[in-house]
Amino acid sequence: MSEEFSLTKMNRPKSPMTDMDKKHTPVITAPDSAKAKEPFSVSVKVGGIDGVEHPNMLGHWINWVELYAGERFLSKAEFAPTVSTPEATFHIILEGPTELRVVESCNLHGLWESKKKIDVK
């Protein structure tokens, strides 16, 4: 039997997704394509897949989400338990095609990652 999550390595959703995956996987909302050197929005929400929401309470919450273009760090949003929801919108500019990557940190269940390719022309 495999572990449902790891505290020592990056977690990624499995197929089929477990409830643990559904509440920890960052959901990236961004266009499939964008114009080079023109700003566009990327929204990130942690969890909520199939209605399985991540808790936001003392003792169990999302610390932060980080946005990357490939390996290049772009931005970070931090959250606090009970007073903020694990959602953020970033406004970014890219010069060429890339894979957006979001990493989030749950205070109990470690790091979780998801990716989305963006065609930039």
Side-chain angles (χ1 to χ4, degrees):
M1 184 174 195
S2 65
E3 293 180 346
E4 198 167 7
F5 69 95
S6 173
L7 289 174
T8 59
K9 60 184 180 183
M10 187 68 69
N11 294 286
R12 293 174 182 89
K14 298 161 209 57
S15 182
M17 291 181 91
T18 65
D19 280 353
M20 181 71 74
D21 295 331
K22 291 176 182 180
K23 71 180 169 184
H24 286 95
T25 299
V27 177
I28 302 168
T29 303
D32 293 331
S33 63
K35 289 187 177 184
K37 300 180 182 180
E38 289 191 14
F40 66 96
S41 297
V42 176
S43 295
V44 176
K45 179 180 188 295
V46 176
I49 300 168
D50 294 337
V52 182
E53 299 291 340
H54 192 280
N56 182 29
M57 59 189 166
L58 290 174
H60 191 191
W61 74 95
I62 300 302
N63 293 306
W64 48 259
V65 296
E66 292 179 338
L67 177 64
Y68 295 82
E71 296 299 315
R72 190 176 107 214
F73 173 78
L74 297 178
S75 194
K76 180 176 187 174
E78 295 184 13
F79 309 106
T82 73
V83 296
S84 59
T85 59
E87 298 180 44
T89 299
F90 304 96
H91 304 282
I92 65 171
I93 297 170
L94 298 174
E95 294 182 6
T98 192
E99 184 170 63
L100 292 180
R101 201 168 56 87
V102 173
V103 176
E104 68 93 340
S105 172
C106 173
N107 74 310
L108 291 181
H109 300 110
L111 300 175
W112 293 74
E113 177 185 64
S114 58
K115 299 176 181 180
K116 178 180 175 69
K117 290 185 186 228
I118 305 288
D119 183 28
V120 179
K121 298 178 184 177

